[in-house]
Amino acid sequence: MTLRTLLAGASLLACLLGAGAAAAEDKLTIGFSQIGSESGWRAAETSVSKIEAEKRGIDLKIADAQQKQENQIKAIRNFIAQGVDAIFVAPVVATGWDDVLAEAKDAEIPVVLLDRTIDTKDDSLYLTAVTSDTVHEGAVAGEWLAKTVGDKPCNIVELQGTVGSSPAINRKKGFDEAIASHANLKIIRSQTGDFTRTKGKEVMESFIKAENGGKNICAVYAHNDDMQIGAIQAIKEAGLKPGTDILMVSIDAVPDIFKAMSEGEANATVELTPNMAGPAFDVIAAYKKDGTMPPKWIQTESRLYLPDTAKEEYERRKGLGY
Ligand code: AHR
């Protein structure tokens, strides 16, 4: 081997090592303060975030807050101390974020809100929010019910999401507005089931007890599918047929609700995509590359699903593996 070949080999090696070092330096580290695992949708969102991070070679650190805002605030402070490139937060409730987000801003760490919004007067505290229009989701559910019921009187019971969370506030608002002009539709009971299956079932049991064994109830509107699945169980245990004796409409479009729809036990669901992290990663990559500013709101789609496609949707979603 000549000296020249040796030198060329050495310089190629140096280039490759240099490129490797640059690639390692370019690798983004993102901290994600996740709420917990209260629902099938939430578990799917966590899984999709990992899959999307892996696709892009991002080091994603997920902190599970077990439904507590104080844990989310601690996690955000930890991420700031670690000097991550960006922070994602799915805020469990809408209020109380200004101080910790101001700390992230002072540290020049961009924050992206995922799937829930916050109440703040200072929207410079976050780069963007990737969410659906949760008022619209409630409206889609309300409009479907109004159309399905027609002129008949209908007593509705409502299972609300976590108190103080943006989807619970907005899904209620959207639904209320959609049924406001239909005097025959009346919400007779409304209580939180905290977005969980167990509490959805418990609250539905108490509604059934208070409403003549469920016979006074015409429809259940649940702010998510998991509470609806709990309600389905309670209705069956009370000897009634969910989906037939009582109309069932909810939000999320998780595989289990498609299974319930294909078995005739649920009537409608409004989809919330679990892929909130994918668009958020893209925004951060562009922002880090050349300072590209995203819009303040990246809106994901909300689509109504009915039993006619339930079987195929169940199979398709099961196959996605999250
Ligand atoms: O913020 C989105 C909501 O949170 C989902 O609809 C619900 O299932 C989850 O817990």
Side-chain angles (χ1 to χ4, degrees), residues 90-255:
V92 61
V93 289
T95 56
W97 298 98
D98 282 26
D99 289 351
V100 73
L101 296 192
E103 291 167 33
K105 189 180 171 188
D106 289 346
E108 296 183 2
I109 300 177
V111 169
V112 178
L113 306 179
L114 288 196
D115 81 81
R116 295 189 184 184
T117 52
I118 58 169
D119 288 346
T120 181
K121 289 203 175 73
D122 180 3
D123 72 2
S124 75
L125 293 177
Y126 60 90
L127 186 66
T128 186
V130 183
T131 73
S132 62
D133 180 342
T134 43
V135 176
H136 177 66
E137 289 169 348
V140 171
E143 281 155 16
W144 172 83
L145 188 62
K147 197 169 152 213
T148 305
V149 164
D151 294 338
K152 284 183 240 132
C154 183
N155 287 336
I156 304 158
V157 296
E158 178 181 31
L159 293 166
Q160 293 189 37
T162 302
V163 175
S165 68
S166 61
I169 297 165
N170 294 338
R171 287 172 185 170
K172 174 156 195 51
K173 183 172 185 273
F175 187 86
D176 286 353
E177 286 170 358
I179 65 164
S181 58
H182 300 266
N184 56 320
L185 302 188
K186 208 170 124 204
I187 298 181
I188 54 167
R189 296 196 179 260
S190 180
Q191 204 177 308
T192 180
D194 211 10
F195 281 130
T196 70
R197 230 172 250 219
T198 317
K199 287 199 188 141
K201 179 166 187 265
E202 268 170 34
V203 175
M204 191 63 209
E205 281 165 354
S206 71
F207 287 165
I208 290 170
K209 220 174 180 179
E211 295 298 339
N212 190 23
K215 293 188 189 73
N216 293 347
I217 303 171
C218 149
V220 182
Y221 166 47
H223 290 191
N224 82 343
D225 290 342
D226 275 66
M227 292 189 292
Q228 193 72 308
I229 287 157
I232 287 172
Q233 200 53 41
I235 294 169
K236 289 204 300 195
E237 284 173 18
L240 294 171
K241 284 194 180 129
T244 307
D245 296 330
I246 300 181
L247 293 169
M248 312 294 290
V249 55
S250 52
I251 295 164
D252 273 357
V254 296

Side-chain angles (χ1 to χ4, degrees), residues 1-41:
M1 196 180 290
T2 64
L3 182 61
R4 179 183 282 205
T5 339
L6 261 177
L7 286 173
S11 92
L12 179 66
L13 186 65
C15 272
L16 288 174
L17 288 175
E25 269 169 35
D26 288 351
K27 184 171 177 151
L28 293 173
T29 299
I30 297 180
F32 177 16
S33 169
Q34 176 59 296
I35 294 171
S37 49
E38 73 280 5
S39 64
W41 184 89

